[in-house]
Amino acid sequence: MTEHHPPPETRTSRLRALLPDLSPWHSSPDFRRMWIAGLVTVFGGFLTFIAVPLQLKELTGSTLAVGAVGAVELVPLIVFGLYGGALADALDRRKLILWTEAGLGVLSGMLLLNTLLPHPMIWPLYVVAALVSALTGLQRPALQAIVPRIVPHEQLPAAIALNSMRWQIGAIAGPSLAGVVIAFAGLQWAYFLDVVSFAVSVALAVGLAPSPASHDAEKPSLRGILEGARYAWSRKELLGTYAVDMAAMFFAYPTAIFPFLADDLDATWALGLMYAAGAVGSLVVSLTSGWVSRVHRHGRMVVLAAAAWGLAMAVAGWLHNIWLVLLFLAVAGGSDMVSGLFRSAMWDQTIPDELRGRLAGIELLSYSVGPQLGQVRAGGMAALTNVRASVWTGGLACVASVGLLALSLPKLMSYDERTDEHALRMRAKRAEVAEAA
C-alpha cells in the first residue's frame, strides 16, 4: 500500500499557521519600539524583584519583614491603577509612559545609592517598593491603552500574544540572570543594571509618536473613574472576563505555598522549576499562537481556558511525582495564557478609545488583586488542612466557580467578535480614522 504524505508546502503552511503572527512587528514601528523597550525593562525589573527581598533578608533575617513588601505594594497599585486609567484617557499616553518610566528608573537609582552606603537602611526598601507600585499603577493603563492606537484592529490578538511572549521570556530567563548577577557581582550591580535598563527603555520611548487625548477628553476625576466603572458594569461580557479571572486567581493561585509543596514532594531542589513552570507553559502557547487570530468566540475561550487552569492545578495538587507536578503547572500556565489572550482581545477590540484608559485601570485590578488574594486563600487553607488539600480544593473550586459564572453570564459565552455590535463599531471607527489619515 502506498503511503500518502502531504506535500512540503502544505506542511510548511501548517507550521507557519502555528508560529506567532509577526504582522504587528512589521506594520508598526511604534509597536517594535515598545516591544523592545518592554523586553529590556522586564529583565531589569526581575533583577530588582529578586534583589529587594534578598537584601531585606540579609538586613533583617525576618520572613515577616520580607513578606511585608507585598503588603506595602497592594494599596498603591489599587489606588494609582484606577487614577492611572483616568490619566491615560486625559493626557498624551506617550508622555505618561515616558515620564513614569523615567520615574521608575530614578527609584532604582535610589535603591542603588542605598546599597552603596556603608550601612544600607531598611526603610528605603519599603518606601521605594510602594512608590514603584504607585508608578506602575499609573503607567500600565497607558501601556495597554496605547496598543489599539498603534496596531491595526485585526492585528490586536497577534500584538497581545507577542507582548505576552515578551513577558514570559523575561519571567523564565530574568530570575536566572538575577541569581547569577547577585551571586557573582553583588546587589549593587543588580540595581545598576536595572537603572541601565530604564535608561534604554526611556530612550526608545522618546521615539514613540505622540498619542494625545481625544479633543473632548475630561480632566481626571472620581466622576470619570465612576463613569468607566458604570460602562464596565453595562457590558456583561466584559464584566464576565473580570469575574472569571478574579475567580480563577482567587481559588487556584497557590504560589505562596510552593516552598511547602516542594518540601511535601521531597523536592526542595525543584522550587525554582515550580515557579518557572507556569511561564514555560505560557511561552509555549505564545510561540504557537498563530491560531489565535482565527478564533472569534473569545468569551467561550476565556471560560474554557480558566476552567482548564483550575483543573490542571487540582491535578498538580493530587500528584506525588515532581515531574508530573511540573508538567501540570506548565499546563496551568498555558491555559492561563490562552484565557489572558482572549480577555485582552475582547477588551482591546470593543472598548471605545475615550474610555480605554479607565477600563485598563479596572483590568489592572482584576488581574493583580486576584493573585494577591489567592495567595492569602492558599496559605490560610493550607494552615487549616494541608498543603495538598489547599492546592487541589482550590483548583476544583476554580472549575466550579467558572462554570457558575458561565451559566449566569450568557453574553460572555455568546460573544463573537464578527457580530458583536461594539467590535463592529470599533472596527468601523478605526477604518474611518485610517481613511481620513
Side-chain angles (χ1 to χ4, degrees), residues 130-153:
L131 292 174
V132 166
S133 186
L135 282 181
T136 300
L138 290 175
Q139 184 189 71
R140 280 189 186 175
L143 282 173
Q144 186 169 333
I146 201 174
V147 173
R149 286 189 175 181
I150 63 177
V151 174
H153 183 87

Side-chain angles (χ1 to χ4, degrees), residues 263-327:
D263 288 342
D264 190 75
L265 293 166
D266 195 24
T268 53
W269 55 270
L271 179 59
L273 296 177
M274 292 173 68
Y275 280 112
V280 171
S282 297
L283 182 60
V284 170
V285 170
S286 294
L287 292 174
T288 57
S289 60
W291 57 274
V292 170
S293 298
R294 297 189 294 276
V295 176
H296 307 287
R297 303 294 291 270
H298 296 166
R300 188 168 296 182
M301 289 300 297
V302 168
V303 169
L304 292 175
W309 153 271
L311 184 59
M313 280 295 183
V315 174
W318 287 323
L319 294 170
H320 294 271
N321 182 286
I322 180 59
W323 295 109
L324 290 177
V325 170
L326 292 172
L327 172 63

Side-chain angles (χ1 to χ4, degrees), residues 44-73 111 114-115 121-122 124-126 128-129 175 178-179 182 187 190-191 194 275:
F46 270 105
L47 288 166
T48 297
F49 178 76
I50 301 296
V52 168
L54 181 59
Q55 188 171 24
L56 275 171
K57 176 178 176 293
E58 292 179 352
L59 292 175
T60 68
S62 167
T63 56
L64 182 61
V66 174
V69 173
V72 302
E73 291 173 336
L111 291 174
N114 182 58
T115 304
M121 296 178 287
I122 296 172
L125 298 176
Y126 292 107
V128 170
I182 293 170
L187 290 165
Y191 293 133
D194 193 21
Y275 280 112

Side-chain angles (χ1 to χ4, degrees), residues 223-421:
R223 186 172 66 85
I225 294 173
L226 291 175
E227 181 187 357
R230 283 193 295 269
Y231 177 83
W233 183 259
S234 72
R235 295 275 311 278
K236 301 308 180 187
E237 68 277 22
L238 288 184
L239 196 64
T241 65
Y242 305 145
V244 166
D245 187 41
M246 287 283 287
M249 294 297 104
F250 177 75
F251 288 112
Y253 193 78
T255 57
I257 58 174
F258 275 180
F260 303 95
L261 182 59
D263 288 342
D264 190 75
L265 293 166
D266 195 24
T268 53
W269 55 270
L271 179 59
L273 296 177
M274 292 173 68
Y275 280 112
V280 171
S282 297
L283 182 60
V284 170
V285 170
S286 294
L287 292 174
T288 57
S289 60
W291 57 274
V292 170
S293 298
R294 297 189 294 276
V295 176
H296 307 287
R297 303 294 291 270
H298 296 166
R300 188 168 296 182
M301 289 300 297
V302 168
V303 169
L304 292 175
W309 153 271
L311 184 59
M313 280 295 183
V315 174
W318 287 323
L319 294 170
H320 294 271
N321 182 286
I322 180 59
W323 295 109
L324 290 177
V325 170
L326 292 172
L327 172 63
F328 278 93
L329 290 177
V331 171
S335 300
D336 184 49
M337 181 71 237
V338 172
S339 179
L341 287 176
F342 289 103
R343 286 198 311 271
S344 297
M346 287 181 65
W347 298 339
D348 288 346
Q349 289 184 334
T350 67
I351 296 173
D353 186 70
E354 63 272 14
L355 291 169
R356 177 67 269 181
R358 279 166 284 180
L359 270 292
I362 295 172
E363 292 151 20
L364 172 63
L365 301 187
S366 78
Y367 62 72
S368 60
V369 175
Q372 296 279 0
L373 296 177
Q375 299 205 61
V376 175
R377 183 218 64 84
M381 188 67 180
L384 289 173
T385 56
N386 57 65
V387 173
R388 288 182 175 279
S390 176
V391 177
W392 70 259
T393 58
L396 292 182
C398 167
V399 175
S401 62
V402 168
L404 289 174
L405 287 169
L407 290 174
S408 60
L409 294 166
K411 284 192 174 181
L412 175 64
M413 295 298 287
S414 63
Y415 174 87
D416 188 325
E417 61 97 13
R418 295 168 298 184
T419 58
D420 179 76
E421 59 175 314

